[in-house]
Amino acid sequence: MPSEVDPLLLLRQSIAAGTSVVSTTTDASDAPETPLPEAHFLQFASTAGDRTALPVNAPTRFLSNDAPVDLRSIYFAWLNREVAIPEYNAAATRLNEELAKAGASATVHKFAFVERLDLITWLEGASEESEYIKSTGGAGATGAAGASAGSKTASGAPVTSSRSGRGAAIDPRLAVIYSGERRTGDHNTVLRGIKPSDFSHVRKQAIPFMSKKQQQAATAVTDKKHPATMPLNPKSGPQRRPDPIILLSPSASSLLRMSNIKSFLESGRYTPSDNSSTATMLHIMRTMKEIDPNRPIRFILVEGPEQFKPEYWNRVVAVFTTGQAWQFKSYKWSNPSELFKHVQGVYVGWRGETTPQGVKDWGHRVLNCSIDKWADPSIPGADVNRWRDREVSENIWKAIETNMRQKGWKRDSGATLA
């Protein structure tokens, strides 16, 4: 490997330029592509048509536990950048098994969640710094890797920053915005790390304490006018804020169903519904700064009010609809015009398509949102506009928060207005 070639930087430049990276068994420029477990080289094509071959076991400047990570592990992590940590670890285990069968002594490094996130962010050009990448000459964490958007590749071709990593160029102004973006994980990755954990034992340990608390509450009732479940002095302690409820549309034509609503509202990215979810209820944690900036609110998502008690309707803060009035037949307010006087309505449709007449008739009380049509991710540039999904998701949350404030939701209490 030529001493002047930086494997890590070369991979980043190839991603930005949209040129191909091919795994081969030899370093010949005309060598055919071979599966990664059998490959000994990665060949990087330039815009001029020539190839640069590097060994797959070449060390890179990315350090994990102070040890350099090989090029094959870096490339494998990039290929699996869009899968969750458990699926990524399973795929890495399968690749290690295939490498062992092929007689290779090396194994693929499994990145921790933070390392993997930092690596992918740097490779796709959304960040110019990385605490895990060793400097090449003291010019910062990335050193020579500073050749990002606006620099040139080894072949002399200009590089255009690409967030999707599939060669689809993005607006330079967006690249500046992405460089300042702070990447965070969801509550599952923060609490559980890279391995699923079983907390069922905690419930067993809590049963004696919960039973004792219920007995104390029952013995505190001295007046028959108080219900048996109410403490003697309900103002003596902090009130428990009820969980707000979001109703989804059960229509098969709805773009957001139980199988994909969680990822859309939490991560701001749309994926098509596969109708395979058997869940009847979901929970989403969201911080509403204007209501309680210090404690996230847990939202309950259901498709229908079949299990509702009368008092639950005061907790409904949003209703997703496709514009079909039959959805509200079993609601407390079956007339759409009356319903959306009490609850924030949300309609999500494809961008460029006509809005249903029902949504138009219900007026400004129904938030009309449009998202880009879904395309197969394997098609180059298919998700170049998927960043707009987050904007739509944030607009929905903003409308829900405004409606909750108008209904009287506060830090320690639910709605005060019906």
Side-chain angles (χ1 to χ4, degrees), residues 177-199:
I177 296 174
Y178 291 145
S179 66
E181 184 181 40
R182 180 182 178 186
R183 296 299 185 88
T184 59
D186 57 22
H187 69 283
N188 286 325
T189 55
V190 172
L191 293 177
R192 300 178 182 271
I194 62 173
K195 295 182 179 179
S197 302
D198 183 9
F199 295 104

Side-chain angles (χ1 to χ4, degrees), residues 61-370:
R61 292 184 293 110
F62 194 97
L63 304 181
S64 178
N65 296 325
D66 296 327
V69 180
D70 61 281
L71 179 59
R72 174 166 45 200
S73 299
I74 298 287
Y75 182 59
F76 180 76
W78 170 253
L79 293 178
N80 292 271
R81 63 193 177 279
E82 295 183 354
V83 303
I85 282 290
E87 287 79 3
Y88 161 73
N89 288 333
T93 300
R94 289 193 298 269
L95 179 56
N96 286 334
E97 293 174 352
E98 294 175 2
L99 288 172
K101 291 181 181 179
S105 59
T107 58
V108 171
H109 174 75
K110 295 181 181 179
F111 291 92
F113 172 78
V114 177
E115 292 178 339
R116 179 169 173 257
L117 181 63
D118 192 89
L119 172 64
I120 294 173
T121 303
W122 186 87
L123 285 176
E124 66 183 2
S127 174
E128 296 304 323
E129 297 181 355
S130 171
E131 61 178 299
Y132 299 99
I133 298 179
K134 181 181 178 181
S135 172
T136 57
T142 56
S148 59
S151 65
K152 293 187 176 181
T153 63
S155 62
V159 175
T160 302
S161 178
S162 172
R163 182 166 175 81
S164 65
R166 296 189 175 92
I170 63 174
D171 193 309
R173 292 173 296 178
L174 290 178
V176 174
I177 296 174
Y178 291 145
S179 66
E181 184 181 40
R182 180 182 178 186
R183 296 299 185 88
T184 59
D186 57 22
H187 69 283
N188 286 325
T189 55
V190 172
L191 293 177
R192 300 178 182 271
I194 62 173
K195 295 182 179 179
S197 302
D198 183 9
F199 295 104
S200 59
H201 66 282
V202 178
R203 181 181 302 173
K204 297 179 181 179
Q205 296 176 355
I207 289 177
F209 299 97
M210 297 301 296
S211 301
K212 184 177 180 180
K213 184 177 180 180
Q214 292 174 355
Q215 292 174 0
Q216 292 175 345
T219 56
V221 179
T222 58
D223 193 339
K224 293 183 179 180
K225 294 181 181 180
H226 295 285
T229 58
M230 181 182 296
L232 181 61
N233 184 5
K235 296 184 179 180
S236 60
Q239 298 180 357
R240 181 183 181 276
R241 179 180 61 204
D243 296 334
I245 299 173
I246 297 177
L247 282 169
L248 306 181
S249 172
S251 174
S253 63
S254 177
L255 299 186
L256 296 174
R257 303 292 302 276
M258 295 295 282
S259 59
N260 64 348
I261 184 69
K262 189 177 179 71
S263 61
F264 182 78
L265 291 181
E266 283 189 340
S267 306
R269 185 176 180 85
Y270 174 81
T271 56
S273 172
D274 55 12
N275 296 320
S276 62
S277 176
T278 58
T280 58
M281 180 175 64
L282 294 175
H283 295 126
I284 290 181
M285 303 297 292
R286 174 79 180 189
T287 299
M288 298 295 194
K289 295 183 179 179
E290 299 298 327
I291 298 175
D292 188 351
N294 300 319
R295 183 177 54 160
I297 299 175
R298 186 177 77 160
F299 289 82
I300 300 176
L301 279 67
V302 293
E303 280 191 346
E306 289 77 11
Q307 306 297 326
F308 269 29
K309 296 179 181 179
E311 60 269 22
Y312 286 2
W313 283 104
N314 204 37
R315 294 162 52 186
V316 177
V317 295
V319 171
F320 282 75
T321 179
T322 57
Q324 300 167 304
W326 61 261
Q327 174 186 346
F328 318 123
K329 184 178 180 180
S330 59
Y331 284 21
K332 176 181 179 180
W333 303 285
S334 57
N335 184 288
S337 299
E338 181 67 18
L339 170 66
F340 295 121
K341 289 181 181 178
H342 301 273
V343 182
Q344 174 66 52
V346 179
Y347 168 76
V348 179
W350 294 127
R351 195 181 306 277
E353 291 191 354
T354 305
T355 302
Q357 187 61 40
V359 176
K360 295 179 180 179
D361 294 341
W362 300 333
H364 68 279
R365 295 186 179 91
V366 178
L367 179 65
N368 190 348
C369 303
S370 299

Side-chain angles (χ1 to χ4, degrees), residues 317 344 346 367 394-404:
V317 295
Q344 174 66 52
V346 179
L367 179 65
E394 291 300 321
N395 286 338
I396 292 174
W397 280 118
K398 183 178 180 181
I400 292 175
E401 183 175 16
T402 300
N403 180 264
M404 291 176 67

